[in-house]
Structures are given as C-alpha cells and as structure tokens.
Amino acid sequence: MSIATVALPANLFSRGEQEQVQNLLQQFSDRQLQWLAGYLTGLQQGNQQLLQLINRIPVPAESISTEPLQAQDSITVLYGSKSGNSKKVAKTLHDKLIARGFTAVLQDMNQYQGNKLKEEKYLLVIVSTHGEGDPPPAAEDLHSFIHSRKAATLENTRYAVLALGDRSYASYCQTGRDFDQRFEALKGIRLLDRVEADVDYEETAEIWVEAILNKLQESFAGMGPGTVLTQSIHSNGNGHAKTIQPVSYTRKNPFKATVLEKIQLNGRGSAKETYHIELSLEGSGLEYLPGDTVGIWVENEQTLVDEILSLKKWDATQQITSKDISIDLVTYLQKKAELTTISGSFLNAYLPFIGDPALAHSLKSILTDKQALLNFVYGRDIFDILKAYPANISAQQLSEILLPLQPRLYSIASSYAAHPEEVHITVSRVEYHNHARHHRGVASNFIADQLEVGKEIGVFIETNESFRLPEDSSTPVIMIGPGTGIAPFRAFVEERAETGAEGKNWLVFGDQHFTTDFLYQTEWQRFLKQGVLTRMNTAFSRDTSKKIYVQNRLLENADELYAWLQEGAHFYVCGDAKRMAKDVKQTLINIVQDKGSLSEEDAVDYVKQLIRQGRYQEDVY
C-alpha cells in the first residue's frame, strides 16, 4: 500500500489539505511513520475521525513478522507460549519498542530456526513453563536446539529473559531458567537478570517491559524518541477531557456470575460425580472463543481449615497480617491461603522451622531431587506437611510462606455464539485417600457442595490461543477428549454447528461405563443426526474384560485417521497430561509410521510438523 492510495476523509480535510497531508507523508520513512502513528495515538483525545486517519497511515503492521524492519541493530522479541500469556506480553513489548522508534521483530518460537540465534544482536525472550518443568509445545524444538551441540556461541548477543510460571509447581519457571542459563553458557551477554513471574504475572511483566525499554535506550545511546502517551481520553461534551475507566473483569477483579443451571451428568451407580454448570455473564461484557478457559475463585473446605487449627492449637480468631491487611486466621486459611497444593518454594521456606534434624535432612534431600520432589508433593496438602514434619512455626510465620489461594481454570464447555452471555463448564468431583487421610479437591468439591442455582461466584476469562479451531471452516477436525476432557469439544462442535462450518468433525470420547458415564450423550446423538458430527467413537474402559481406552479406538480406525490427516485435519487432545495425552501422541506416531510407511524418526518429525503448523494442539492438565 503506497501513500498515494490512502483515502483521507473528505468531511475532515478539504482537497487542498488532503494534498498537503499526502505530500507530507511521502517525505517520511516507514520508521518515521511508525513512530508518528504511536505518537498520534497517544494524543488522540477520543476523536474518532482522527483515529480513522491514524488507521489509514501505511505503517508496517505490528503483528508478527518474519523479517526485521531494518537490518541494523534489530531487536528480536521471541516468545514461547501455551495459553497465550507469553505472546500477550511479547506483543506489548514489541509494540512499545516500535512506538519508541526501535527496529523490532516479533517471533513465535514455534516458527523460529535455532541456527538464527547466533545472528541476533538483541534477543528478548518471554517463555512459559508447561506442566512439571517442561517447555510449552511451541518451545520444545528451540529448547532442545540450544541444549544440543548444534547451538553456536552467542558472544555478540545481548539477551534478557522473562519466565512465566506457576509457583504451585515444583519446577517453577524452569523453562525460563533453562533458556537464561543456557544463553549464559553460550557466552551471551545479559541485558538484565532473569525475572520470574507467577500466575499473577501482569504487574511483574509490566515492570520488566519498562526496565527493558529503559535499558535498551541506554544501550542505543538515546536513539529512541521517548515514551508515547497511551492513556485513553474522551471528551465530556463541554470542551474538557476526562479519562475513561471502563470496567474490566480480570483475575484480580472477577465478575460475580450467577449460577443458572447445575446438572449431574453421571447416572445412578456411577463411581464418578460430574457436573454441568451454567453461569451468567450478563452485563459483564465478557466474551470468549472455543478453546478458552474460565477462571473460578473458590474457598478451602472448612474441614481442612479446622484440621490445621486443631493440629497447631491455634486460635481461629487471632489476627494476622496478610499483604499489609489485618485478618482473622480462620478467614485467611479459608479464603486466602493455598492449602491443597504443595510447592518446592513452600517446602524450602518451611525447612528452617523443622525442629527434628533428621526430618529436616530427609526433606532437604527430597528437595534436591526433582523426581523425588514430584513424587513427594503428589497427593499431599499443607496438613500432611505440618503433621509429618512438626515445626516451631507461628500462624503469622506460616502465612508469610504459604502461597496465595489461586483461582482454578476450567476449559469452557460452551460456544458463545450458541449461548450468548453464558459460560458453561464440566467439573468432576475429586476425592482420594492418601497418607492415611481423605483428601478432597478444593475447587471441584466447592462447586459440587456449595455452588447452587442462584448463587454467585467470581469468574474471569483467560484466552488460550494455542487451542483454537482452524480458521478455515472447511478443515476437518479430530477431537480426543476422555472424561471431563470432553468439555472444550462440546464448545467446538456447538461453534461449528452455529457457524455452519462445512468441515468434517470426528469425536473420540472415553470413560468408565456406557450406561452411567456417557457425558452429554443426547447432545452427541443430536449432532450425529444433524450431520454436525461426522463420526464418533467411544471407549468405556470398565465395560469389557480388557480395558479399552481412546488410543485403542484410534488404532482400530488407523486407516481413516491417517486419511483425515492427509486431508489436512487438525488433531486436538484434552484431558490427563501424565498418561492419556502421552499415550495418544505415541499412538498417533505409531499410526503415522505404519500407514505412511515411514521410519520412526520420520514419523516423530511428521507429528512435530503438525505441532509447528498448529494442527496438533493439546489442552492437558
């Protein structure tokens, strides 16, 4: 698009003024126009006509590009994302770099060639950690590359790393640490020390972004023209301006959603207890896409809180200070403290309070072994630790090392197009016996026991850009979702039905028993009858002498599965990460190897290519 082709609004500019603007714009370089666009945005004063003009200025797009805007001293912003948070931070940083006059390129690790690292002068990395210390799928290849012999030295590369993670996991921010430490080992030069951000990452990320911008302006000797104003302004009608503060419902400011419906999905006699919950978003302005998740704020069970108070002989009414606020202990434990998840960071902080040297030594040994730590924390809660490792610790001291209670995220089980201003979830009650005690999942039991129709609960939406239906509605999709892993595929199928997508849809569902555990059975039958579902396979593991799982159904239909893939089908998996997802992936590799007459190495690469192309996507937990 050239300057000459830009149409300026006739009701805003006379013909002479239009010619003046055209002539003026032609004198600027792309880089100058890029900065000017950001500057005008900061001064916009809510004038919609001015905004229309700004949008017509032919500057390079601030979306993901594959080449730097200018060859010299380009800054690469590289992200590895699972849910989209790393991408969100990376794009914010990239846009601010552009607005300050830097030459920058935004790149997804999934599309990045590792051998280009040695050419980078400035490299800013934002990467999340997936599961127990693993890189997200988009970052797997680059993570593997930098740890291989192929990785060249980075002695001419200045870099910085922002690591996103979840402190409740033992291997907190491990992928970010891996990139940072490996870049150092390859002789890269740190611009800033690595910063690690927990699930409430926004504030930490914002501080890191500003620190990076300031550091780069120092490095470039004041090359950038300065910060651009970004505050949203609106005229109040009397010649004065006022700042708009629209209500934005987020993790920190959740929307109070009313429960519209609560239905138990399992039949009588089932060993499971699964609920379909419908929540109202009316008046919130919240929307979502299939594949997104909804965050729900819950409370710890009173029984667990009472057990801790009794064990430690603490007064429930005593006041403690949490985040500079005075609060009674029982309220803190019930509503503010993470009690059902054990992290390595908590154990490290708790260790000095343990009175018995032998117990302290044994726990310290566990903390030095990653696998031992994963095995140790699995199925334990805070009460288990306090009882097994007695410590001279006060309620105030414990509150200072406990992690804050976090919302629980659930795959959305509805299409917004099919259910406007509603969001649906599928939740299975979690209960188990471990270490001579009965344990209950905090969120699932709160939902099952406390969340009734008419009640309100705090919710927010989190986007998941790595779990999306294909843009081309004619593309076939294959969905593997055993148990509550079926949730996002209900959203997928509803969306395809509502939008009239012509692509084929194949669903593979598994659970224990056909008669009691066929979740959303009547809906699937209706979609099959309508032709929205092209085919459906089920695997009910307890209905036969030999257990049958979803991966067995894939093998039984290997010819057709491979044919769909060759047609360009997208392959989706949702559910258990520890076994099911790994088994499904290996089964797919085996099918590709067999039906494609490939070597094992080539079959693995085939599936990797599906991942790189966004055709193999997981939403696992």
Side-chain angles (χ1 to χ4, degrees), residues 434-557:
N434 195 31
H435 303 289
R437 283 181 61 238
H438 188 68
H439 294 69
R440 289 158 59 89
V442 58
S444 65
N445 285 278
F446 179 86
I447 290 169
D449 296 333
Q450 305 295 326
L451 207 59
E452 300 299 334
V453 172
K455 285 198 172 183
E456 292 185 339
I457 188 168
V459 305
F460 58 95
I461 301 296
E462 284 210 350
T463 58
N464 186 1
E465 296 188 15
S466 63
F467 204 71
R468 285 281 186 261
L469 281 167
E471 291 184 11
D472 184 349
S473 63
S474 66
T475 303
V477 299
I478 304 167
M479 300 162 283
I480 318 299
T484 55
I486 198 68
F489 303 132
R490 181 175 183 265
F492 276 26
V493 175
E494 284 188 344
E495 182 79 3
R496 300 270 268 189
E498 286 294 318
T499 58
E502 60 270 30
K504 297 185 296 183
N505 303 298
W506 182 354
L507 178 63
V508 184
F509 171 71
D511 216 311
Q512 292 187 355
H513 298 284
F514 170 81
T515 56
T516 60
D517 305 314
F518 197 164
L519 307 184
Y520 301 112
Q521 179 183 0
T522 57
E523 294 188 22
W524 304 132
Q525 290 172 334
R526 184 179 76 251
F527 285 128
L528 283 165
K529 186 176 181 179
Q530 293 172 347
V532 177
L533 262 183
T534 310
R535 65 175 299 163
M536 182 174 188
N537 293 100
T538 57
F540 294 101
S541 60
R542 304 301 195 272
D543 283 347
T544 54
S545 56
K546 182 180 179 181
K547 292 182 178 179
I548 302 295
Y549 298 107
V550 288
Q551 59 267 28
N552 300 116
R553 297 305 188 208
L554 297 181
L555 280 172
E556 291 170 4
N557 296 276

Side-chain angles (χ1 to χ4, degrees), residues 356-425:
D356 187 327
L359 287 175
H361 178 73
S362 67
L363 184 58
K364 189 173 183 179
S365 298
I366 292 170
L367 285 166
T368 59
D369 184 328
K370 178 182 176 181
Q371 191 56 52
L373 178 58
L374 293 176
N375 295 337
F376 177 79
V377 300
Y378 183 76
R380 281 185 165 90
D381 60 22
I382 293 296
F383 179 88
D384 292 324
I385 302 302
L386 295 177
K387 186 174 182 181
Y389 296 86
N392 183 22
I393 189 170
S394 68
Q396 178 63 49
Q397 289 170 326
L398 182 67
S399 73
E400 291 169 0
I401 64 174
L402 282 174
L403 297 180
L405 181 63
Q406 295 295 337
R408 269 41 180 184
L409 299 178
Y410 288 96
S411 300
I412 293 175
S414 55
S415 158
Y416 193 86
H419 308 278
E421 297 196 305
E422 293 182 15
V423 62
H424 302 175
I425 57 174

Side-chain angles (χ1 to χ4, degrees), residues 64-81:
I64 302 173
S65 57
T66 56
E67 294 296 334
L69 299 174
Q70 292 188 9
Q72 70 276 15
D73 293 333
S74 178
I75 301 165
T76 295
V77 181
L78 186 61
Y79 68 88
S81 190

